[in-house]
Amino acid sequence: MVKPYYKDEAVTIYHGDCREVLPSLPSYELVVTDPPYGISYVSARRTRPFRKGKVHGDEAFPLWLFEVLYPAVAMFVWCRWDVLYDLPKPTSFIVWDKGNHSMGDLHHEYGRQWEGCAFYPGPKHSFIRRPSDVIVASRVPPQQLRHPTEKPVAAIAPLLVAHEGQVLDPFMGSGTTLRAAKDLGRKAIGIEIEERYCEI
């Protein structure tokens, strides 16, 4: 059994590679995760004071996630639209409207104002209430970012309120999923490979 890095009445954090930690975890019913997108992303390129380093493991999208977890549990997996060709077909694709667009390719691409989250219901899934597939929430301002791809709690909480069960985030980052779960009175487990984010 892997020893938790941190534990309280609501959340448990494990420091390590999620592929090594997952087999020893207790039960969970819902996975909400924002894995590396496989794009070697570096944030805030034009605002040097707020620039973060690369995301660990961002050389490729972790397709093995589906081999390990799906279809045993319901899953929300944040991803870019172009990785959907490689993933199992989701039953829904949720759009987070960030309110303003990101940089990206300034010459050949439309400015992306949204990010997407693929939803896989799992065998025992049922909604508490049927949610919308559009979430409107402002991005975390660059000067407040604690992780290069940090999502705001307001983008994660709507995914949780429509579902029951303990939450798992195997790519925890700065812990937004766990914070959202705790705020909603839910139990959550997070795994993070970089200790500095476990500390956050």
Side-chain angles (χ1 to χ4, degrees):
M1 186 72 170
V2 181
K3 185 179 177 182
Y5 187 88
Y6 171 85
K7 185 175 177 63
D8 65 23
E9 73 286 349
V11 303
T12 305
I13 295 173
Y14 294 93
H15 171 229
D17 188 319
C18 59
R19 290 169 290 191
E20 297 170 4
V21 177
L22 281 170
S24 66
L25 290 185
S27 64
Y28 45 87
E29 293 75 40
L30 182 65
V31 173
V32 178
T33 194
D34 186 15
Y37 288 7
I39 57 174
S40 296
Y41 177 73
V42 177
S43 70
R45 289 179 186 272
R46 291 189 175 187
T47 52
R48 187 176 296 275
F50 309 124
R51 187 176 301 172
K52 307 293 181 196
K54 285 187 178 182
V55 175
H56 185 91
D58 197 21
E59 294 75 39
F61 189 91
L63 296 173
W64 57 264
L65 194 62
F66 292 89
E67 298 170 16
V68 173
L69 299 174
Y70 183 70
V73 294
M75 295 175 59
F76 288 97
V77 182
W78 291 91
C79 61
R80 281 172 50 103
W81 65 269
D82 50 355
V83 80
L84 283 173
Y85 299 111
D86 300 319
L87 304 184
K89 183 180 178 182
T91 59
S92 293
F93 195 68
I94 297 114
V95 170
W96 166 37
D97 179 350
K98 301 189 285 189
N100 56 10
H101 63 80
S102 55
M103 299 306 289
D105 181 344
L106 302 181
H107 301 290
H108 307 291
E109 243 183 356
Y110 283 78
R112 272 190 234 105
Q113 187 172 313
W114 62 276
E115 287 189 43
C117 185
F119 174 59
Y120 303 88
K124 298 179 181 178
H125 170 265
S126 63
F127 287 122
I128 297 171
R129 61 175 182 266
R130 191 174 185 221
S132 168
D133 64 357
V134 176
I135 297 169
V136 179
S138 298
R139 298 188 315 175
V140 178
Q143 63 272 24
Q144 295 177 19
L145 280 173
R146 298 165 298 173
H147 185 279
T149 61
E150 184 176 350
K151 302 281 186 293
V153 169
I156 302 296
L159 304 178
L160 303 182
V161 295
H163 303 83
E164 293 180 320
Q166 180 161 258
V167 180
L168 167 69
D169 187 349
F171 296 93
M172 184 187 75
S174 59
T176 302
T177 298
L178 276 64
R179 178 76 262 169
K182 189 169 184 174
D183 289 350
L184 293 167
R186 302 276 291 280
K187 291 189 178 296
I189 301 168
I191 308 170
E192 174 55 42
I193 200 166
E194 294 195 63
E195 188 172 8
R196 58 183 168 150
Y197 299 129
C198 292
E199 281 293 309
I200 291 169

